[in-house]
Each structure stands twice: as structure tokens, then as C-alpha cells.
Amino acid sequence: MFGFATSSCLTTLFACMASTPAQAQVHLFSSTSKTGFSHWLSDITLTGQIEGGIMANPARPNPGYNYGDFFADHANQVQLNQLQFTLNKANTGPADTYQVGFTLQGIYGSDARYYHLLGISDTEWQSRYQLIPAQAHVDVHLPWATAGGLDMQAGILQAPMGVEVMDPTGRPFYTLAYTSEYSVPFEHVGAMFNWHVTPMVDVTFGIDTGNQTTFGGSDNNSMPAGYFGFNLNNLSGGKLKIVELSRVGPEDSWRSIGHSAADHAQRFWNDINATYQVNDKLTLTAEFNYLHDEGLHGYNASGQLKGADAESFVSFLSYIVSPSVTFNYRGEIYRDNNNLMVATFRGNNSYMAAIAGTPYTTVAGPTGHGTTYGEMTLGITYHPDLGKGVRVFMLRPEIRFDRSLNGTTPFNGGRNNGMFTFGGDAVIGF
């Protein structure tokens, strides 16, 4: 199978763990022909999926938000996170042939508040449950230059950087790490390329309008941004994979720092992760991330941009207890050097307003010197094969411990330097 490389093989691990055989997917067209347009149509599939969950907080914070948590931000409240429908034509043919496919995906639910694109869906909804075009791209495989060829995606794309993804079946926990919320982009309009140089080396590059922006007046500045990086596959006898991806371009809004600064203040995103499959049961993943923004902190007294940055390390462990039970661990250290990255957005449209540079509200966070966040999450994924057309079924209880490691008090309405939450989600797909 040849396609666009995922940012981490941990994503592939959990997608495969959660899924039952491919015949559970709905094939919209069928044909006995081996050539022509009818054969191309026969590979189109339609899948549906629903996810809901809750994270309880015994401290009952006022206001009622779990600080630093996007998908489960409302404490002690059940949420419909995602109702997802995906129409897909995958490129699975031989590497030496031209191939054209596509992905169309719509998502309705509370998670959609964080994955809008400016100018497309960001102002259409005011409620907690919102609707987005999560993916709408053409996928092309070109048998050029090397035996593996070149893969391209163009359109509305989910960002490829980082370990944890929006699709709950592709990540180990209901909640996300700080790194996955604040130090990687979410959504793009643009084009991404993956060149399979050798069976061991892939090169990734791409260009887009920016993180969660589109064109013209729906861009928060006038300049593009882009990716470059590499994958190292099948290392250590096929047990190890390393993914490095960097990104550079302006991401700040002209409404916040002015047109010239917004066009010239660069944001540098850097993420490298490695996944090692120790044996058939145990998989380890480590991720290091560094982000620097030249414009986020505004100007100093000399008229120079001051900048802001954050660095983090995340570790994951996955252990298959039985064919239907997997134990998961995540541990993270996240340093927000200027207290400008980590925030909890109060209101259903505040996150996208912050990207646009229009007025928004947040839950009060730490002030003064920067904050070093520590986070540990433990969970169980129960994923039995239900058969009879059920593509995926998952129950994922988890407990999570968050703490400020240097004395600030961001949690539970500013009362505490730590927060304990517990809960989880349920996922079913057809």
C-alpha cells in the first residue's frame, strides 16, 4: 500500500488496534470490471463514527472548565465530541502506477470548535456543537523519480505534525497532551507532498495559507507557511520509526500586532518523535517539540519583537493485555516560557477568535514568570470485535494528573497548582 505517510506510527498502531476487518466499510459502488472508471468507483467507501465522553473534576472549578483541556474542557459534563462521516477513495495500487483518490470528511460535535478554518466555518455556529469540513482533499500518487514515487494531497488537510490526532481511533486517550494542543497546528488549506526516496527514507514538504486560515480577508496575515521533514522507516529490524517535521511561516494576526509584523514575524514549529515496538505487546513512543514565535509577545521598549517559546517532551507506552484490552500511559513535561501558549478558551467561539485576532475570552491562567506543566495519564482501551458491520467499538476510561511544577496556580479557577480528573469516552463506528 502506498499513500501519504502519517506523522507517527503510533497513529497507525491505534487505528489498526481499533478496527475490525475492512468488509465492515460500506462500498458505495461494486463492479466486476478490472479496468476503467467503474473499477475506480468500486473502491469508494463511506464510514461513520460517533464519540462522546466526560472528564469529571472533584474540585468543581469555577468557572466550570478543566484548565488546559480542549476536548473535555467542560468539567463534569457529558459531551458529544464527534459525529463523523467520511467518504474515501484510497490509493492502494502498485507504486509504479498513476493513482487518484480523495477524502471528504465532515464532523459535528464539540471538538469541531477547535478545528475550524477562518472564512469557511468559524462564524457559522455559536453553540457548543458545531460543524466543520474536517477534510476535503484530492490524493494523487505519481510514479516519479524513485521506485516509491511521490504522493500529494491538496485541499483541506489535517495537519501532519505530532503524535496525537483528531480521530479518536488514532490516539490512545480521550484527552490530549499539552504538546498536541498548543505546539502543533491543526488544519490547513494547501498541498502536502511525501516523496518515498527509499524504503527507509521518506521526505515530506508542503505549502499552505497558515494554521487554520484560508485566503484573502480570511487569512490573519498575507504570507504563506510550509513544512519540511523526513521519515526514517523500518529501522532496527523493522521495530523503529523516526519522524521529524518542521514548519515555518507567519501565524500571528495583523489585528494584534499590525500588518508588517504579522507578515514578517515567523513561527518556527519543530517536532520529532520515535516509536519502537519492543515486542508484539509493548510499544514505546517519545516526542520532543520546540516552538518559537517571533511576534506573539509583541514589541519591547526598543521597538523589537520579543517573541515567545515553548518546549516539551512526551512519552507514551502501550501494552496489549489481551486481544481486546490495551493499557496506555502518557507522561509529559511542557514548559510555557512566557505563559502565552497554554490557555483555556471560555466560550464556544473564543479559540477561533484568538486565531483571527478578534476579541475573545479565556479562563484566567498563570501570570508572571513562565510555567512548567507536568501531566500523567493512565488508561485502558477496551476494543472488542463486535462484528456484524461494526467497524470499531472502543471504551476508554482514563485518569489524569496535571500539575504546575514551579509554583503557579493555573488549575481549578486559579486555586490550585494541580488538577485531578477522571472519565473517558466511548467510540463506535460503522
Side-chain angles (χ1 to χ4, degrees):
M1 177 186 294
F2 289 83
F4 202 83
T6 58
S7 58
S8 169
C9 47
L10 185 68
T11 301
T12 305
L13 169 70
F14 282 96
C16 292
M17 178 190 73
S19 299
T20 54
Q23 59 264 29
Q25 300 177 346
V26 176
H27 291 263
L28 297 186
F29 304 92
S30 61
S31 172
T32 57
S33 172
K34 299 299 182 183
T35 60
F37 186 63
S38 60
H39 177 66
W40 185 86
L41 288 175
S42 69
D43 293 335
I44 296 175
T45 61
L46 175 65
T47 58
Q49 184 171 287
I50 186 169
E51 178 205 15
I54 181 174
M55 286 301 284
N57 186 334
R60 302 180 64 86
N62 183 23
Y65 287 84
N66 293 323
Y67 189 81
D69 195 338
F70 280 4
F71 289 172
D73 53 355
H74 286 69
N76 307 312
Q77 295 185 33
V78 176
Q79 296 191 126
L80 170 63
N81 290 91
Q82 296 184 24
L83 176 60
Q84 175 192 120
F85 290 97
T86 305
L87 189 66
N88 176 254
K89 158 67 178 174
N91 291 334
T92 58
D96 60 353
T97 62
Y98 287 90
Q99 301 171 54
V100 179
F102 67 88
T103 300
L104 298 174
Q105 184 180 74
I107 292 179
Y108 173 79
S110 60
D111 291 357
R113 295 169 296 161
Y114 297 100
Y115 279 79
H116 286 289
L117 291 164
L118 294 180
I120 292 182
S121 56
D122 59 306
T123 61
E124 297 300 317
W125 303 80
Q126 304 297 319
S127 62
R128 189 187 308 182
Y129 299 147
Q130 302 183 8
L131 178 66
I132 58 168
Q135 298 186 69
H137 49 82
V138 175
D139 308 332
V140 178
H141 177 75
L142 304 169
W144 293 353
T146 62
L150 179 72
D151 289 305
M152 180 193 76
Q153 293 181 337
I156 296 176
L157 312 171
Q158 292 191 0
M161 181 179 286
V163 171
E164 296 177 310
V165 296
M166 186 187 189
D167 187 339
T169 65
R171 63 178 196 265
F173 296 102
Y174 175 39
T175 61
L176 295 176
Y178 291 95
T179 301
S180 305
E181 295 177 323
Y182 302 106
S183 288
V184 298
F186 282 178
E187 198 90 355
H188 301 303
V189 173
M192 289 292 299
F193 300 86
N194 191 248
W195 180 27
H196 305 285
V197 181
T198 72
M200 183 176 291
V201 179
D202 294 335
V203 173
T204 301
F205 54 96
I207 188 169
D208 55 73
T209 60
N211 179 40
Q212 298 182 259
T213 67
T214 53
F215 297 96
S218 297
D219 197 348
N220 56 10
N221 56 66
S222 301
M223 302 298 289
Y227 286 94
F228 53 94
F230 61 85
N231 291 13
L232 299 179
N233 311 300
N234 302 312
L235 303 176
S236 188
K239 293 185 176 183
L240 176 65
K241 179 177 182 179
I242 298 174
V243 180
E244 192 284 330
L245 202 55
S246 295
R247 174 177 171 80
V248 62
E251 298 287 359
D252 299 312
S253 173
W254 64 266
R255 297 179 180 89
S256 301
I257 62 175
H259 285 280
S260 178
D263 287 347
H264 294 93
Q266 304 295 312
R267 181 175 296 182
F268 302 90
W269 326 59
N270 302 277
D271 190 275
I272 185 168
N273 59 78
T275 300
Y276 185 75
Q277 187 171 345
V278 179
N279 52 45
D280 292 340
K281 293 182 177 294
L282 179 62
T283 302
L284 305 176
T285 298
E287 177 182 17
F288 176 76
N289 185 287
Y290 174 71
L291 183 150
H292 177 73
D293 190 294
E294 294 179 334
L296 193 59
H297 208 183
Y299 294 92
N300 60 22
S302 302
Q304 299 174 317
L305 289 166
K306 294 186 286 186
D309 55 8
E311 54 270 349
S312 62
F313 175 79
V314 195
S315 59
F316 298 85
L317 179 151
S318 173
Y319 184 79
I320 299 175
V321 180
S322 72
S324 60
V325 177
T326 303
F327 169 78
N328 299 306
Y329 156 88
R330 180 181 64 207
E332 180 181 24
I333 300 293
Y334 186 96
R335 173 65 181 178
D336 185 354
N337 282 312
N338 311 88
N339 286 328
L340 291 173
M341 297 297 176
V342 178
T344 289
F345 295 91
R346 188 172 184 176
N348 297 321
N349 298 81
S350 287
Y351 174 81
M352 290 306 301
I355 291 179
T358 56
Y360 63 94
T361 57
T362 61
V363 176
T367 58
H369 58 80
T371 298
T372 302
Y373 295 88
E375 173 259 320
M376 182 177 71
T377 307
L378 304 174
I380 294 290
T381 301
Y382 175 58
H383 50 95
D385 182 355
L386 299 184
K388 297 182 180 179
V390 179
R391 179 176 55 86
V392 55
F393 176 78
M394 303 169 64
L395 296 176
R396 299 192 298 184
E398 70 175 69
I399 57 173
R400 176 167 172 156
F401 306 88
D402 293 80
R403 189 173 181 85
S404 167
L405 302 179
N406 64 327
T408 61
T409 57
F411 301 107
N412 301 327
R415 304 194 311 267
N416 305 120
N417 66 352
M419 179 176 68
F420 168 67
T421 53
F422 63 94
D425 65 348
V427 183
I428 186 168
F430 303 94

